[in-house]
Amino acid sequence: MEAEWNALNRAIERGKMAVVTGLRRYGKTSLIMTYLNESKVKYVYIDCRLLPPTVSLSSFESLLEEELAKIRWGRNLLENIRSVELQFGGIGVRAAKKSEANVLRVLKALEGSVLVVDEAQVLRMSAYRFDSLLAYMFDNLDVKMIISGSEVGLLYRFLRLEDPEAPLYGRAYSEVRMGPLAREKAREFLVRGFEQNHVKLDEQAIEDALEKFDGVIGWLTYFGCPATVGGASVEKIYDMASALAVNELKKALKLYANGEPRYREALKTIATLGSASWSEVKRGVEARLGSITDSAVSNVLKNLVDSGFVKKDTDKYVIADPVLRHGVLARL
Ligand SMILES: Nc1ncnc2c1ncn2[C@@H]1O[C@H](COP(=O)(O)OP(=O)(O)OP(=O)(O)O)[C@@H](O)[C@H]1O
Ligand SMILES: [Mg+2]
């Protein structure tokens, strides 16, 4: 990931905000953590997936403080803030306002460090405008930000960096986009991993794994671990991986409540056909669920693309992750 490492380094050295994007298991979090640890900068990392389904400012504040409490300089920082709070108190200030003042105080104390907000698209599920908070930080605080997310379309829908009406509009940022490894790199990753563990895997098993797991580094690792210990076939690990991917998908689809069956049928149609046009998706959904409007079909597809489950290749839709495709066919 040398190119991505360098891009992130440039973005943070020269600018104030980097947006690291890529589908699930492409290695975003690993890249960010490796970069920050190697470059020895002070940072605090928050994973918004740990927030409750409806995010509030106070749940964000708690998570930020929990993460700070894990690191030594963070604990000092929190203690300093608390001693100031004790002196000046917040008596009489409304709870919501108080919460905002608290968060701002903590963020202000982060000056000189890097704040990582991973899976930031989750912050869109809130009555509180977290995009305004990020814009405020960008404009007023000496804190660099690394924003990341696997649901890339949803992340950009949250940040709205190109929307003149949005708080973050016009702020300079660099995007570091991660993709799957090219076939040869993926092969090298597996071969070297097995060598390091003194395991010899036959050529056919490696070819088979590359075919099934594509160049998704998280899946290659998922495959490499049990394969190193021995005993599990490529097919078996592939099956376990696809079960995991489908479980994640099912969890994500719950968001659509009564609309969920449409998402399922759209995914099944796309997975079955391999790649499907808009009309084929519409026909596939209608065959199972009855008539559906054009705008509903477009909406389902837009949400599936924005969440990273589906991608659009020219004018056809495909399941973005081959492991998920297998899971959709076998288990959804
Ligand atoms: N450069 C790398 N070298 C070795 N292993 C890696 C590398 N990048 C990622 N991995 C492995 O792949 C797994 C998935 O990577 P990571 O969690 O960083 O991806 P992600 O894009 O953040 O995924 P998600 O969207 O699920 O959060 C990691 O647990 C790690 O084992
Ligand atoms: Mg991650």
Side-chain angles (χ1 to χ4, degrees):
M1 304 289 177
E2 209 173 341
E4 291 84 351
W5 196 101
N6 287 329
L8 184 56
N9 184 38
R10 263 197 314 277
I12 291 300
E13 278 190 347
R14 296 186 195 162
K16 213 165 171 187
M17 181 162 69
V19 181
V20 179
T21 61
L23 299 187
R24 289 221 62 180
R25 301 186 177 81
Y26 277 12
K28 302 173 294 296
T29 305
S30 303
L31 173 78
I32 295 167
M33 299 310 250
T34 306
Y35 166 72
L36 291 170
N37 289 323
E38 284 178 358
S39 56
K40 302 207 166 31
V41 293
K42 240 171 41 172
Y43 69 88
V44 56
Y45 170 87
I46 55 175
D47 180 354
C48 296
R49 278 196 288 229
L50 298 175
L51 291 165
T54 318
V55 184
S56 67
L57 189 59
S58 75
S59 57
F60 178 82
E61 182 191 351
S62 306
L63 182 60
L64 181 59
E65 291 186 359
E66 264 168 46
E67 291 305 324
L68 281 167
K70 290 181 188 163
I71 32 187
R72 179 144 20 116
W73 67 267
R75 282 192 292 275
N76 291 339
L77 180 153
L78 290 174
E79 263 167 36
N80 287 341
I81 292 175
R82 281 194 193 123
S83 69
V84 173
E85 267 170 14
L86 282 179
Q87 279 173 38
F88 297 105
I91 306 151
V93 184
R94 272 198 310 125
K97 276 265 174 280
K98 197 172 157 221
S99 193
E100 187 164 47
N102 284 347
V103 172
L104 289 177
R105 213 172 291 139
V106 178
L107 293 175
K108 169 92 183 135
L110 291 180
E111 284 200 305
S113 60
V114 176
L115 172 67
V116 185
V117 187
D118 205 353
E119 302 299 342
Q121 71 279 352
V122 169
L123 297 177
R124 79 193 190 286
M125 316 279 270
S126 177
Y128 182 75
R129 291 292 301 272
F130 282 98
D131 53 343
S132 298
L133 185 69
L134 295 180
Y136 173 84
M137 282 182 71
F138 190 102
D139 294 342
N140 298 292
L141 302 179
D142 175 25
V143 176
K144 302 208 178 199
M145 291 183 272
I146 300 180
I147 314 278
S148 184
S150 48
E151 300 176 286
V152 183
L154 295 183
L155 179 65
Y156 278 110
R157 265 201 239 169
F158 162 61
L159 295 172
R160 295 196 295 147
L161 288 152
E162 313 295 333
D163 175 356
E165 307 287 315
L168 277 164
Y169 175 71
R171 306 304 187 283
Y173 70 100
S174 311
E175 177 175 342
V176 180
R177 196 176 304 179
M178 305 200 63
L181 296 176
R183 180 59 68 103
E184 275 319 301
K185 270 213 153 174
R187 184 195 313 278
E188 190 191 326
F189 181 69
L190 283 184
V191 169
R192 275 176 48 186
F194 288 126
E195 269 171 18
Q196 282 168 11
N197 285 286
H198 312 290
V199 173
K200 185 108 193 75
L201 211 68
D202 68 78
E203 190 56 31
Q204 189 49 48
I206 291 196
E207 274 312 307
D208 202 13
L210 291 171
E211 199 56 51
K212 289 187 161 61
F213 297 105
D214 210 6
V216 181
I217 198 158
W219 285 140
L220 294 172
T221 317
Y222 184 90
F223 162 71
C225 271
T228 304
V229 181
S233 65
V234 180
E235 193 60 43
K236 171 93 181 101
I237 303 170
Y238 183 47
D239 218 46
M240 279 159 40
S242 68
L244 180 66
V246 165
N247 278 340
E248 289 167 1
L249 171 70
K250 283 183 179 163
K251 248 209 251 154
L253 293 187
K254 285 212 177 96
L255 183 71
Y256 301 110
N258 294 339
E260 189 188 331
R262 291 175 172 180
Y263 286 83
R264 268 172 202 267
E265 294 309 325
L267 284 160
K268 282 196 212 169
T269 305
I270 297 169
T272 308
L273 295 176
S275 72
S277 66
W278 185 95
S279 323
E280 285 167 333
V281 173
K282 182 170 197 254
R283 275 201 296 279
V285 176
E286 287 189 326
R288 300 294 300 263
L289 303 174
S291 171
I292 166 173
T293 64
D294 287 359
S295 67
V297 177
S298 296
N299 202 30
V300 166
L301 285 169
K302 181 172 172 14
N303 286 333
L304 287 173
V305 170
D306 284 353
S307 333
F309 294 121
V310 165
K311 65 181 179 191
K312 201 173 170 189
D313 272 350
T314 55
D315 52 0
K316 293 271 198 174
Y317 293 91
V318 294
I319 306 283
D321 176 356
V323 174
L324 180 64
R325 179 178 175 226
H326 178 65
V328 168
L329 290 174
R331 300 166 192 272
L332 191 67

